[in-house]
Amino acid sequence: MPEPTTTPRSLPTERDAGPFDPPSAISRMRDARPVCPMVFPDGHRGWIVTGHDAARRLLADGRFSSRLDLGVLHVPYETPGMPAATEPSPPVPGLFVAMDPPDHTRMRRKLAGAFTVRRMRQLEDHITDVAERALDAMASRTPPVDLVTEFALPVPSLVICELLGVPYADREDFRAHSSAFLLRDQTLEEKGAAYGALTTYLAELVRRKRADPGDDLLSDLARDDDLSIEELTGCAFLLLLAGHETTANLLALGTFALLEHPDQLAALRHDPDLLPGAVEELLRYLSVADVFYRYATEDLELGGETIPRGATVVVSLLAANHDPARFADPDTLDVRRAARGHLSFGHGVHQCLGQQLARVEMRAGLGGLLRRFPTLELAVPAAEVPLRTDMNVYGVHALPVSW
């Protein structure tokens, strides 16, 4: 039987209504069928989940596996030059985001103590100092300056380097490799080369820490003989990549969004107590990390649809966070909104380990930026801000600002 013409053949990714709104095609898809069959560009049939309730249920259901070796990783959007995957991806030691319990539980427990709410509150003053020093350096420059290179990237990069014990002097190299790894338009060989370069660097680093541990998270992990060098490397890769890429893009894109919504920016300047809630709203509204995969380990029912065993399921957190069934007027930025319940950090056992760190960095970064630069404005027309539509973490490549 031919596939219905309404079945999508790829995941819409172009934010055609504006730089902060979901693609109109994905919004229509969610409104019509929140759990929808789709045909991947390589011809593989799977499912896409765009509704908030369905996405939350899926992420909490252990029968939807995160293990890439259980199914073929089919890219859900058109990617020029990317060959179709033909076999399951082998498991990567230490990469706990692609594990299921009990392996996931074992790795997660090794890290849980380092990212508690209490520990992050203890670090808050130091993170504020890091942000203030970056703002001091930015204030010494003659505008216009690029907010990404002067502020949004250095703050989370320095924090995660200090936390993990990665030399900050090496930031240009690991940043280049992580950016290359996150590019959409590249071959599997190119992505593998970027991954290999970064993991080669990290493997040598964790070997040094096992031989001569210091006072940092990777050294603490390296002291644990239960973890192999390969597991330490995979874990370090995940923490370093997520620890600077997502927050850097949240800080820059969040600033762009506030500058483009002067009423919301004015509300924050007038009442700084709104900042914690505004951070949650920006997390929901921007959804910089969007697409995640799961694999059905048995026949399952989700949102009134039957998902067959072995099916690849794509989850769009962007669509879920803009679901009008969960958030009123969801495409509007409202810093007074009670945005708790958003899925930007995921849900269930794979909920982002570093979410409290990201919140602290966002509060310290945005709070300091708005206080120190009360006349901050874009230095170019908004349409000229280069968006990261070519990357797997959304944001801006640069944000020219003046004051």
Side-chain angles (χ1 to χ4, degrees):
M1 178 181 296
E3 195 70 20
T5 56
T6 55
T7 300
R9 298 195 65 86
S10 64
L11 177 64
T13 58
E14 292 298 323
R15 301 196 180 201
D16 49 351
F20 314 113
D21 297 321
S24 55
I26 206 169
S27 297
R28 291 193 298 270
M29 186 190 307
R30 180 197 57 227
D31 296 344
R33 198 173 180 181
V35 180
C36 184
M38 70 175 291
V39 180
F40 290 80
D42 62 5
H44 170 72
R45 292 168 185 253
W47 294 77
I48 178 170
V49 176
T50 53
H52 183 279
D53 181 68
R56 191 173 187 275
R57 289 175 183 272
L58 178 146
L59 294 170
D61 192 334
R63 297 173 298 171
F64 286 102
S65 174
S66 298
R67 287 173 50 189
L68 302 183
D69 59 311
L70 294 185
V72 177
L73 181 57
H74 295 268
V75 178
Y77 35 74
E78 298 287 355
T79 306
M82 178 70 81
T86 57
E87 59 184 30
S89 301
V92 178
L95 205 68
F96 55 91
V97 72
M99 295 178 179
D100 294 336
D103 295 327
H104 171 268
T105 309
R106 169 178 166 267
M107 290 299 303
R108 181 99 175 193
R109 282 175 178 166
K110 304 283 187 185
L111 294 159
F115 291 95
T116 61
V117 175
R118 180 172 175 270
R119 178 77 184 277
M120 291 304 106
R121 284 175 178 162
Q122 291 172 342
L123 286 173
E124 190 154 7
D125 286 346
H126 176 62
I127 292 171
T128 299
D129 288 341
V130 170
E132 290 297 323
R133 290 198 301 270
L135 291 168
D136 287 342
M138 191 172 106
S140 70
R141 299 286 305 277
T142 300
V145 302
D146 176 15
L147 191 79
V148 173
T149 57
E150 296 296 326
F151 180 66
L153 185 57
V155 170
S157 295
L158 180 56
V159 169
I160 198 64
C161 282
E162 290 183 343
L163 188 64
L164 295 181
V166 175
Y168 186 60
D170 296 342
R171 66 191 180 279
E172 295 299 334
D173 285 342
F174 74 67
R175 169 68 179 171
H177 297 319
S178 65
S179 293
F181 179 77
L182 290 171
L183 273 174
R184 284 181 174 170
D185 185 8
Q186 63 177 328
T187 65
L188 290 176
E189 290 77 13
E190 290 169 330
K191 183 179 281 287
Y195 174 78
L198 188 51
T199 53
T200 297
Y201 165 77
L202 291 171
E204 177 57 31
L205 180 65
V206 297
R207 285 191 184 96
R208 294 202 305 267
K209 291 184 179 296
R210 175 150 283 179
D212 184 21
D215 184 19
D216 55 72
L217 178 55
L218 289 184
S219 291
D220 290 345
L221 293 172
R223 290 185 180 96
D224 189 340
D225 292 334
D226 184 45
L227 292 172
S228 68
I229 292 295
E230 291 75 19
E231 287 177 316
L232 288 168
T233 301
C235 185
F237 168 79
L238 185 59
L239 294 174
L240 182 61
L241 187 74
H244 76 279
E245 282 285 353
T246 51
T247 308
N249 284 288
L250 279 166
L251 280 171
L253 191 65
T255 301
F256 184 23
L258 289 172
L259 292 174
E260 285 296 282
H261 294 82
D263 58 329
Q264 301 302 301
L265 179 59
L268 268 182
R269 291 195 191 282
H270 177 72
D271 185 2
D273 289 342
L274 291 174
L275 186 58
V279 167
E280 298 304 316
E281 170 67 349
L282 287 167
L283 287 164
R284 177 203 71 83
Y285 182 66
L286 302 174
S287 300
V288 298
D290 177 18
V291 178
F292 290 84
Y293 295 85
R294 293 294 185 268
Y295 305 93
T297 58
E298 58 184 79
D299 291 351
L300 294 163
E301 184 278 330
L302 183 68
E305 308 282 355
T306 299
I307 311 295
R309 179 178 180 272
T312 301
V313 184
V314 179
V315 188
S316 172
L317 300 187
L318 172 65
N321 280 337
H322 284 251
D323 188 346
R326 176 61 180 82
F327 299 103
D329 197 13
D331 295 341
T332 296
L333 177 64
D334 181 1
V335 297
R336 294 184 174 85
R337 184 196 303 272
R340 290 287 183 177
H342 66 75
L343 298 176
S344 296
F345 291 121
H347 184 63
V349 298
H350 283 285
Q351 192 170 44
C352 177
L353 189 64
Q355 61 178 293
Q356 299 304 335
L357 176 61
R359 287 184 168 106
V360 171
E361 291 174 329
M362 286 286 287
R363 291 196 298 266
L366 285 177
L369 183 67
L370 299 185
R371 184 185 71 256
R372 297 279 300 273
F373 295 88
T375 59
L376 191 74
E377 61 182 4
L378 288 178
V380 297
E384 294 180 13
V385 173
L387 302 172
R388 285 169 54 105
T389 54
D390 56 336
M391 308 293 282
N392 285 324
V393 176
Y394 187 61
V396 294
H397 286 293
L399 190 69
V401 295
S402 58
W403 54 89

